[in-house]
Amino acid sequence: EMRSPDASANVHLLMAALCVACRHGFALKDALKVADATYVNVNIHKKENSKLLSSLATLPDSCWASADTLLKQRAVYEEGGVFSPAMIDGIVRELKAFDDRSLRAKVTKDAKAMADLVKTYFHCG
């Protein structure tokens, strides 16, 4: 599954990563089993589908968590020399520099902090 990135993405790295992810998906021996196991044809946010929702993997919720995920999957991106180990290390360093591990918990409990975050980073107009 591809989710549309925001405008802050480096388009060159984004396209390279999408190509690597596609190649990886096509090379998986059990790709159809994975697709069947993760296929969703209902509204997963309805109460009656809560069991299905809880069985699905979630996307990272912070830059720090994204860096951890990238570290776990780095072999996929380094395969074939598309991304060098130094590039992966640099991306991880940049992501972890935000030090936002606890940001979600902080803003979930503090409406003003949430509003400030939105105003600073997401406000358009």
Side-chain angles (χ1 to χ4, degrees):
E1 172 182 348
M2 183 194 136
R3 305 251 176 133
S4 295
D6 66 35
S8 68
N10 176 314
V11 68
H12 302 99
L13 295 178
L14 173 66
M15 294 308 295
L18 287 172
C19 290
V20 166
C22 288
R23 179 191 66 199
H24 177 70
F26 288 136
L28 283 177
K29 291 183 181 13
D30 61 346
L32 292 177
K33 287 181 184 177
V34 172
D36 285 341
T38 57
Y39 178 72
V40 174
N41 63 352
V42 297
N43 181 342
I44 58 173
H45 300 291
K46 287 189 173 184
K47 188 175 182 176
E48 63 266 20
N49 299 319
S50 61
K51 184 176 178 182
L52 174 61
L53 176 61
S54 67
S55 73
L56 299 171
T58 58
L59 294 171
D61 65 352
S62 65
C63 292
W64 192 279
S66 295
D68 286 343
T69 300
L70 178 57
L71 286 171
K72 290 175 190 165
Q73 298 174 350
R74 74 180 302 150
V76 172
Y77 293 96
E78 291 173 357
E79 185 181 341
V82 177
F83 289 89
S84 69
M87 182 176 280
I88 299 291
D89 291 339
I91 293 168
V92 166
R93 253 189 325 277
E94 285 182 26
L95 289 169
K96 287 195 171 191
F98 287 101
D99 196 21
D100 61 352
R101 284 175 281 194
S102 61
L103 182 62
R104 175 176 280 222
K106 177 184 172 189
V107 298
T108 299
K109 297 175 185 174
D110 184 343
K112 183 178 179 338
M114 174 74 81
D116 290 345
L117 186 68
V118 170
K119 185 176 179 182
T120 302
Y121 295 104
F122 300 109
H123 178 71
C124 298

